[in-house]
Amino acid sequence: MDNPVFHIEKLNFWYGAKQALFDVDVTIRPNQSTAFIGPSGCGKTTLLRCLNRMNDLIERTRVEGKIALHGQGLYAPEVDVIELRKRVGMVFQKSNPFPKSIFDNIAYGLRIQGVNSKNDLADRIEASLRKAALWDEVKDRLNDSAMALSGGQQQRLCIARAIAVEPEVLLMDEPCSALDPVATAKIEELIQDLKKEFTIVIVTHNMQQAARVSDHTAFFYLGKLVEFDVTTKIFTNPANKQTEDYVTGRFG
Amino acid sequence: MELHFDHELTHLKEMLLRMAALAEQSVADALKALVERDDELARKVDMEDVQLDRMEIDVDREGVQLIALRQPKAGDLRFIVVAMKVATELERIGDQAVTIAHRSRELASEPPVKPLVDIPQMAAIVQKMTHDVLDAFVYIKPDLAREVITRDNEVDKLREQVHRDLTELMVKDPSTITRALNLMTVARKLERIGDHATNLAEDVVYLYEARDIRHQTE
């Protein structure tokens, strides 16, 4: 098997006294998109947020077990969390552009990385916007406020911002849940283009979306991983009855 | 906007076109084997059938996956459903070709029972029907598909004619019975190919007009 990007083994997670994940084992493969699905409270977002240690920002959380990024323990004391989040970017449920121009939204992370020359910035920004399928819509108004964009455009801007710093992995937490069907379709198309260059992990409430955009699907229920397999298998012949009931809409 | 899904649909269509070309080839080979008494060609038809069987499975698997993963709607949904039916018909056309080829081999080992007249004519019609219905499928011509259906009567009539002639021959000269029965089978298989072409034509009309014209008596 190709070298996994993430190797997750016997992962347990607690919010205070409440356990949210139980002995989860998942492997994330490179240049594929992996979807986490399951009913609310199943732990899918918690697991996603473990992958770039976003849960560190929440007090009284505790993690046990193993998550390795290319073999290196993610929770090892020597890990630089800022560096980690550069390698593992994230796009959130609600688009959250900075109240700045379109240009500056993307330039922000690049400047922190030390890209300062005007030409370099312009090139990298154009490349990111093109990859996010937004360039044609905004190329004539890069200095306009990002807040003036539509919801779908804002979300693609956030994707452009995330990929501008050239992460290896892109985590997406229900990236379409606030979007209309047309904007959703655009993001879904984008995901399939992006995985040529990035490894994608997406959490979605919408299992049809998981079917459309992912290569592998993990189904969670009550903090446990019920089934993890190639998406085709999950949606045509799942091994587990609970998975079948969920994907056929009979439960959850 | 062109979607990734469009590429998947195109891929499925290409699979079908390869399968259609092979099914047509297989019928042509079987008939050539019959007319030219060519044993080698008859063997080739067997190998083509193995390929057609595999292609049918591939098309069905692809179709099921697209339905499960892409939730196709409207024309996309009809296309995938029809693609799976087309694959079934093409595979069956391949089966008919195999039987024709087998009977041809038996016939080739004995002197001709009579000059072939009606059978080549039937063959020409069903080959044209098959070819035209596949054209109708590829080039979005539901009218051509409807027209193909009307030709099936002619095939049925010719088959009855062949049946009568051969029966007469067997009554007159019982030594021809084995060979005449083989020819009757060939005629029946050609008629079946015409039926498959008709089924394909009905599927093509459904695909492009969303109208189910099966089982309608005029």
Side-chain angles (χ1 to χ4, degrees):
Chain A
M1 191 178 56
D2 42 11
N3 275 338
V5 175
F6 284 109
H7 183 74
I8 301 161
E9 212 179 303
K10 290 237 175 303
L11 192 77
N12 289 279
F13 190 92
W14 288 264
Y15 293 106
K18 184 172 170 12
Q19 187 164 0
L21 293 174
F22 297 83
D23 286 338
V24 169
D25 299 325
V26 174
T27 300
I28 307 288
R29 293 172 177 80
N31 294 99
Q32 299 223 332
S33 104
T34 303
F36 295 167
I37 61 170
S40 296
C42 71
K44 56 190 189 295
T45 297
T46 300
L47 179 61
L48 188 81
R49 294 168 61 91
C50 284
L51 298 181
N52 67 350
R53 290 183 53 177
M54 288 298 276
N55 290 323
D56 290 14
L57 306 174
I58 303 171
E59 278 179 34
R60 297 183 62 242
T61 57
R62 186 158 63 86
V63 60
E64 271 177 21
K66 192 173 131 191
I67 307 183
L69 175 58
H70 291 299
Q72 196 204 5
L74 219 62
Y75 283 85
E78 68 274 16
V79 169
D80 176 347
V81 178
I82 304 294
E83 194 57 38
L84 169 69
R85 290 183 192 144
K86 228 186 272 173
R87 288 174 72 188
V88 184
M90 195 158 188
V91 175
F92 299 87
Q93 196 166 348
K94 224 176 146 296
S95 56
N96 52 354
F98 305 132
K100 291 168 177 284
S101 71
I102 293 166
F103 186 96
D104 284 337
N105 259 274
I106 302 174
Y108 188 86
L110 291 170
R111 287 191 180 116
I112 291 175
Q113 278 197 344
V115 182
N116 283 312
S117 115
K118 228 175 164 180
N119 283 342
D120 285 354
L121 272 177
D123 287 350
R124 294 273 296 266
I125 286 166
E126 177 176 340
S128 306
L129 286 168
R130 281 189 188 280
K131 282 181 201 163
L134 188 58
W135 175 251
D136 289 338
E137 292 162 56
V138 301
K139 63 185 174 199
D140 300 322
R141 46 174 174 144
L142 292 176
N143 293 316
D144 287 7
S145 168
M147 309 313 278
L149 296 172
S150 72
Q153 288 172 328
Q154 286 191 12
Q155 193 61 307
R156 277 179 284 146
L157 179 67
C158 291
I159 292 172
R161 186 175 65 187
I163 61 183
V165 297
E166 294 173 349
E168 183 185 346
V169 182
L170 203 52
L171 307 178
M172 300 180 131
D173 186 6
E174 295 181 41
C176 304
S177 63
L179 304 181
D180 67 41
V182 173
T184 297
K186 279 190 185 160
I187 303 271
E188 289 183 4
E189 284 294 307
L190 184 56
I191 290 171
Q192 295 177 70
D193 289 327
L194 289 173
K195 72 182 187 194
K196 290 174 198 131
E197 209 170 326
F198 308 96
T199 298
I200 292 176
V201 187
I202 177 170
V203 159
T204 175
H205 265 304
N206 177 337
M207 65 193 139
Q208 281 84 13
Q209 179 168 70
R212 287 190 294 263
V213 304
S214 72
D215 303 296
H216 286 80
T217 297
F219 169 57
F220 294 89
Y221 184 56
L222 299 176
K224 291 182 179 133
L225 176 69
V226 177
E227 188 166 350
F228 178 49
D229 213 322
V230 292
T231 299
T232 306
K233 174 91 166 72
I234 295 282
F235 285 92
T236 57
N237 181 23
N240 188 289
K241 176 81 166 66
Q242 269 184 328
T243 312
E244 171 123 14
D245 286 347
Y246 184 70
V247 299
T248 55
R250 286 178 170 78
F251 138 91
Chain B
M1 182 169 70
E2 202 185 32
L3 306 173
H4 284 86
F5 181 40
D6 291 326
H7 293 285
E8 294 171 327
L9 292 174
T10 304
H11 175 67
L12 182 60
K13 192 163 185 176
E14 284 164 359
M15 289 169 82
L16 280 178
L17 295 184
R18 279 196 295 277
M19 195 177 174
L22 187 62
E24 276 195 83
Q25 184 63 48
S26 188
V27 172
D29 289 341
L31 292 166
K32 204 161 173 231
L34 173 74
V35 175
E36 299 183 6
R37 304 166 75 86
D38 183 336
D39 203 45
E40 202 49 46
L41 266 179
R43 274 181 233 281
K44 184 169 168 243
V45 174
D46 278 335
M47 313 223 299
E48 287 161 345
D49 184 53
V50 173
Q51 259 179 291
L52 284 171
D53 290 351
R54 210 170 30 227
M55 288 165 132
E56 183 195 19
I57 290 170
D58 289 345
V59 168
D60 279 356
R61 191 190 46 236
E62 196 80 6
V64 166
Q65 284 183 11
L66 289 177
I67 291 170
L69 301 185
R70 304 291 176 249
Q71 304 98 39
K73 315 279 188 306
D76 294 340
L77 176 61
R78 292 201 306 279
F79 173 72
I80 294 169
V81 170
V82 164
M84 293 165 76
K85 295 171 102 177
V86 165
T88 303
E89 298 297 339
L90 291 173
E91 188 275 330
R92 287 183 184 164
I93 287 175
D95 288 345
Q96 313 299 353
V98 166
T99 307
I100 293 172
H102 285 183
R103 298 305 166 114
S104 301
R105 283 170 75 177
E106 286 178 29
L107 284 161
S109 63
E110 289 183 74
V113 60
K114 76 191 251 313
L116 298 175
V117 181
D118 290 332
I119 285 182
Q121 203 189 332
M122 274 183 88
I125 298 170
V126 300
Q127 280 182 290
K128 186 82 168 69
M129 284 173 77
T130 310
H131 186 80
D132 285 351
V133 79
L134 292 169
D135 256 12
F137 172 66
V138 176
Y139 300 109
I140 317 181
K141 292 181 183 165
D143 290 342
L144 178 59
R146 286 173 189 280
E147 193 265 309
V148 165
I149 296 170
T150 63
R151 296 183 218 161
D152 198 40
N153 280 338
E154 218 177 320
V155 178
D156 293 348
K157 279 192 195 119
L158 278 168
R159 196 223 145 188
E160 282 160 23
Q161 181 63 41
V162 169
H163 203 272
R164 272 197 303 273
D165 291 352
L166 290 170
T167 308
E168 213 174 292
L169 192 67
M170 288 188 284
V171 170
K172 265 196 251 168
D173 179 2
S175 76
T176 61
I177 287 178
T178 311
R179 285 169 288 165
L181 286 175
N182 275 333
L183 282 176
M184 275 187 178
T185 301
V186 169
R188 192 171 69 241
K189 294 297 155 181
L190 286 172
E191 188 219 324
R192 290 296 298 144
I193 293 175
D195 293 342
H196 294 309
T198 303
N199 292 345
L200 284 168
E202 290 164 347
D203 291 339
V204 170
V205 171
Y206 174 69
L207 171 60
Y208 294 126
E209 295 182 356
R211 291 180 50 158
D212 194 337
I213 59 165
R214 294 173 301 172
H215 311 302
Q216 287 174 357
T217 43
E218 284 167 38

